[in-house]
Every structure is written in C-alpha cells, then in structure tokens.
Amino acid sequence: MGTREHTRTQIFQVSTLYGAATLAAAIDIGRFGRPGRSSRSGAAPGNIRRVLLVSNNAEIPETALRLDTMAGYERIAGRFDTMIEWNHTIRPNHPATWGPRPDETPLWQRALRTAWGLGRGPVELIVESIQVNPAKALAAIFADSPVQVYADGLMSYGPTRSELPQSIACRIQRLLHLDLVPGLRPLLLSEYSVPAELVPDGAFRAVLAEIAVCAADDPQVTKAVEAAPTALMLGQYLAALGILTADEEEHLHTRMLRGAAAAGHRSVLFKPHPTAPARYSLALSEAAAAAGVQLTVLHGRLLAETLYERCRPGLVVGCFSTALLTASAYYGIPIARVGTSTVLERLAPYANSNRIPLVIVDHLVPDLESGAAPAVPGAAPSTLGPLVRAVGYGMQPNLHPLLRDETAALLTAATGDGGGTSRYFPRDRLTELGLPGGTAPSPASRLRRSLVRDRRG
C-alpha cells in the first residue's frame, strides 16, 4: 500500500493509434516525466505509473476495429504499465454519451481507484477532446486532478467545440499538438489561455517508423509493397458523418482515382476508412479498370503513415484527412485534394468541428482535378492564420469575441475577391452574426445582438 500512496498515476485516454503515437512521442522526449519504457513492475521510471485508457468511440463499438488489433499497437502499449478498456469499465453505456451525474462523481472516483489499483496517490489526466465524453467524464470524476490535452490532428487549429465548465477549464495545464502546418497556432483552448506546446517532428516521426517496422510482416503491407504504388488515396467515410450520401462519397473516391490516373499514376493504393462499406472497393475497381490503373485496396489494421514508410508513394490524395498533412509535413510527399468545394457547401452546422480542417486543406493543398501540380505545402502562408481565426470566430463567436473586428476587416477586404475568401463564409451565417457580406439585419435580430453585447459588457 505504501508504494501506491507515493506513486503518481498518469491516465492517458486514447481512441486512435495515431493519438497513441502522439503520446508515445511526447513520453519519449520526457514531456510526462522521465522517459522510458514500462518495466511492467507497477510503475514507470521516476515513481510514475502510466495507464493507457483505451476508448472505442465508434457508433457500434462491438463491430468496429479495435485499437489493440492495429499493427504496431504492442510497441506503443509497451510505454505504459497498464492498459484498461474504458468501454468495459462503463458498459453497457457508450463512451461518447455517458457521463456521471454530479452527485455520483465521488462514488465513481472511489470505485475507479479501487478497480484500477490507484490507491490514494495523485492522478493526472491526459485526454483528447476535453469538451466531450469520455474526456469530460474523466475530468468530472477526478475532480481535483490536473488535466493536459493532446490533439492529434488538424482539429487542434480550430476553436473549442463548446464552453467548458470553469471547474474543468481552470485545471487544463497545456495543449500538446503536432506541427502539421508549421507556423499556424491552435485556436483550441486559447480562450482559456492554455499554452500550446509542440510535439517535435523528429520524435513523432521516430514513433511512426517504429510502428512501420512492427508492420513489416503484415500481409497487407507485403501486398502494398508488391504493387509498387506511386499514389495513395485516403478514404474518410464522410457518409457516416452525414456530410455526403454513400453514393456521393463513392463518387468522390472514383474522382480521386481518375485524378491520379490523369496525373500519370498507374499503380494506386486505396486505404478506406475502417468502417467503409465494401461496395466502395467494387466501384473503384470498375473505375480503375476503365482508367487502366492497377488498384490495390487495403482494409483494417494499418495506419496510412505505415504505408508512407513502406511504399514511399509519389502522391497522396484525399479530401481533408489529417493524414494528407502528415504525408507532406513528416515525409515530404506531394499531396493533392479532391472534393473540398462540395463538402464546404454541405457541411452543417457552421460550427461543425470538421470545418477548420476542411478550410486548411482547401486553402493550402492543390486541387487535383483543376490540373494543379501536387505539392508539399510547407509553412503556413500569411493568409492562413487570419483566415483560420476568422472562420473560428464564425464558428464560436461567444468564445472568441475579441476576434470580431479582425474578422470584419478580413471580410471587408475580401469583398469582390471572386469567391476566394468569401466562399468560406455563407451569407446566412454572416447575416446571423451581423458581419460584412451578410444581408441587412431585421429589427428583431438587431435587438438580439444588442442584448448579447449588453450581457457581455
């Protein structure tokens, strides 16, 4: 008992291997205390016990790909002393919807300390997506614990999805994120003055290389290498998010293939989203045959980054996947986009958290169907930061009121730009917020905005 009383427990909540790789890189360089692999003896170096808390947030977790079946998982898990399944802990509840009632949180903390062998020692939380469950539930249960947030994708550049309870916001110590767009600073949690801290490129790339080595003997990797692909297509399964219909997404994938073929690629890999329906592969096969392209479809347990390591494609094409920017930022692979204009028109509501990743890719990455050459974007251009802040204000004006004047100035300057900047701001949203480019507000809406300003003042 005495050892546990003096052991500090760090609970790392993850739902993806990409996120776990981000944490592994941060651990390796000492961002969470002394680096070092777990000895499986009950505590990591420096009297720290590291717990990997795995959450499967899929709509139907029982039918979704499990994190611990992904190629390379075991090497990542080796940095932790214990792996715990959050789904098992709270079943039959779903991780995305369950949270404790306020009067139950002390009981839940006692129960989890007993079940997980935490004793009475201090607990630190390292979580993703603090504004939603399961991270929000954990922060409520361990109500006195410091919180650190890590972001493993382009959503870190967007605003916090909703206002956080002050009891949680005041405990957030930092935001760890990847440098996917060098020079662009995250909006996430900035309204709470949470400092953003980069996970160094070299550390993250080293972890990705480690995962790729573990996957070297995987039959799908062997299949991919033998195909000698020069292009890789990324599926996102936007139909599952209600952004496109299944038929439209199927068509989007065939557009990617035709674009790659038109650019001269004759061997193409397609990595669908793990939950994509099988018929996507059939439609692509027919399109590949018509275009004279050798198509290799890979399912399941591989990170896209493993394919970058093992196959070294000359092109990665997608819609707005984070893996696009990983290809360019960490591997120097030219990238191209397809379909962002369509998704921009469909994405709703305006505060949808996919909007910032979509805007970044649309602004930075060449359009494959326009004939533009694929490219490695590099550092953020001077236009990107103001655009991201303006879109962020449009998404969450109540969280970022100080960005209003900057946003209005950008929109005023964009008047008559032929749709370059203004296409990111639907007229009805500008009207709702009383910004340049909207229609004249009605007396009722003017009164509502006046009341809001008075409350803020």
Side-chain angles (χ1 to χ4, degrees):
M1 176 68 80
T3 301
R4 287 290 165 85
E5 298 300 326
H6 296 90
T7 296
R8 178 162 48 107
T9 299
Q10 296 174 329
I11 298 176
F12 296 80
Q13 177 254 319
V14 302
S15 62
T16 67
L17 187 60
Y18 192 96
T22 304
L23 291 176
I27 288 172
D28 289 349
I29 59 171
R31 296 290 170 84
F32 294 105
R34 282 180 54 195
R37 295 186 178 276
S38 165
S39 63
R40 299 292 181 181
S41 61
N47 213 30
I48 298 172
R49 181 175 181 240
R50 292 178 178 140
V51 174
L52 183 64
L53 183 64
V54 176
S55 172
N56 187 333
N57 301 333
E59 186 175 356
I60 307 176
E62 294 78 9
T63 63
L65 184 72
R66 289 172 55 96
L67 177 59
D68 57 5
T69 66
M70 294 282 288
Y73 165 82
E74 289 296 333
R75 289 296 294 270
I76 299 297
R79 291 163 168 89
F80 302 87
D81 299 286
T82 306
M83 190 280 277
I84 296 172
E85 292 188 47
W86 181 242
N87 295 58
H88 178 80
T89 300
I90 65 168
R91 68 180 182 185
N93 300 293
H94 192 285
T97 58
W98 181 83
R101 294 190 318 208
D103 59 336
E104 294 177 340
T105 55
L107 297 175
W108 270 98
Q109 181 174 159
R110 286 198 293 272
L112 294 184
R113 282 182 176 274
T114 299
W116 295 351
L118 306 182
R120 290 184 292 176
V123 170
E124 299 175 8
L125 299 175
I126 300 93
V127 299
E128 59 182 356
S129 302
I130 182 61
Q131 64 273 24
V132 295
N133 293 318
K136 194 172 181 180
L138 287 166
I141 291 169
F142 293 96
D144 297 323
S145 295
V147 178
Q148 299 182 52
V149 177
Y150 72 94
D152 61 0
L154 292 173
M155 286 186 184
S156 65
Y157 297 112
T160 313
R161 198 178 308 178
S162 58
E163 187 172 359
L164 296 175
Q166 188 58 32
S167 59
I168 293 177
C170 68
R171 291 186 280 138
I172 303 176
Q173 298 181 327
R174 62 178 170 178
L175 168 69
L176 284 166
H177 69 103
L178 299 171
D179 200 15
L180 293 165
V181 186
L184 186 63
R185 292 189 59 78
L187 268 179
L188 181 64
L189 299 174
S190 61
E191 69 272 27
Y192 301 108
S193 300
V194 174
E197 188 174 316
L198 285 171
V199 176
D201 294 353
F204 186 60
R205 177 67 189 273
V207 173
L208 294 179
E210 185 179 335
I211 292 173
V213 168
C214 295
D217 296 329
D218 186 282
Q220 293 217 67
V221 172
T222 301
K223 178 182 177 183
V225 172
E226 289 175 349
T230 59
L232 190 152
M233 297 165 36
L234 300 168
Q236 286 179 255
Y237 198 16
L238 302 176
L241 302 176
I243 297 173
L244 300 178
T245 67
D247 287 342
E248 288 169 335
E249 185 160 25
E250 187 175 23
H251 180 57
L252 177 63
H253 295 154
T254 60
R255 287 167 59 188
M256 292 179 190
L257 186 139
R258 292 185 185 117
H265 296 275
R266 290 294 171 262
S267 180
V268 176
L269 286 181
F270 176 55
K271 187 184 184 307
H273 189 280
T275 56
R279 73 172 189 158
Y280 285 179
S281 301
L282 177 61
L284 270 179
S285 296
E286 294 172 349
V293 170
Q294 177 186 351
L295 174 67
T296 304
V297 180
L298 303 179
H299 292 280
R301 32 190 315 271
L302 298 172
L303 278 181
E305 290 72 22
T306 294
L307 300 173
Y308 303 160
E309 287 272 358
R310 307 300 299 183
C311 300
R312 303 291 178 175
L315 166 69
V316 174
V317 58
C319 189
F320 63 97
S321 170
T322 289
L324 271 177
L325 274 297
T326 310
S328 62
Y330 295 100
Y331 295 90
I333 300 174
I335 59 177
R337 60 179 169 88
V338 170
T340 53
S341 295
T342 302
V343 179
L344 273 170
E345 294 172 0
R346 299 290 184 83
L347 197 63
Y350 193 80
N352 189 304
S353 55
N354 289 294
R355 187 169 300 278
I356 289 295
L358 180 61
V359 167
I360 289 173
V361 172
D362 186 82
H363 192 73
L364 279 184
V365 180
D367 182 355
L368 189 62
E369 294 179 304
S370 73
V376 177
S382 60
T383 52
L384 184 60
L387 175 61
V388 166
R389 291 193 295 274
V391 173
Y393 172 77
M395 292 171 66
Q396 298 291 347
N398 293 334
L399 298 182
H400 295 279
L402 297 181
L403 293 180
R404 181 178 177 85
D405 290 347
E406 179 184 344
T407 300
L410 182 143
L411 290 167
T412 299
T415 303
D417 70 352
T421 298
S422 57
R423 70 196 193 91
Y424 298 117
F425 303 90
R427 184 179 294 274
D428 59 351
R429 186 61 172 175
L430 297 179
T431 299
E432 183 181 352
L433 297 177
L435 289 168
T439 56
S442 66
S445 62
R446 282 198 299 267
L447 177 60
R448 281 195 298 271
R449 282 200 296 273
S450 176
L451 292 173
V452 169
R453 284 195 296 268
D454 289 346
R455 283 197 295 269
R456 289 179 193 156

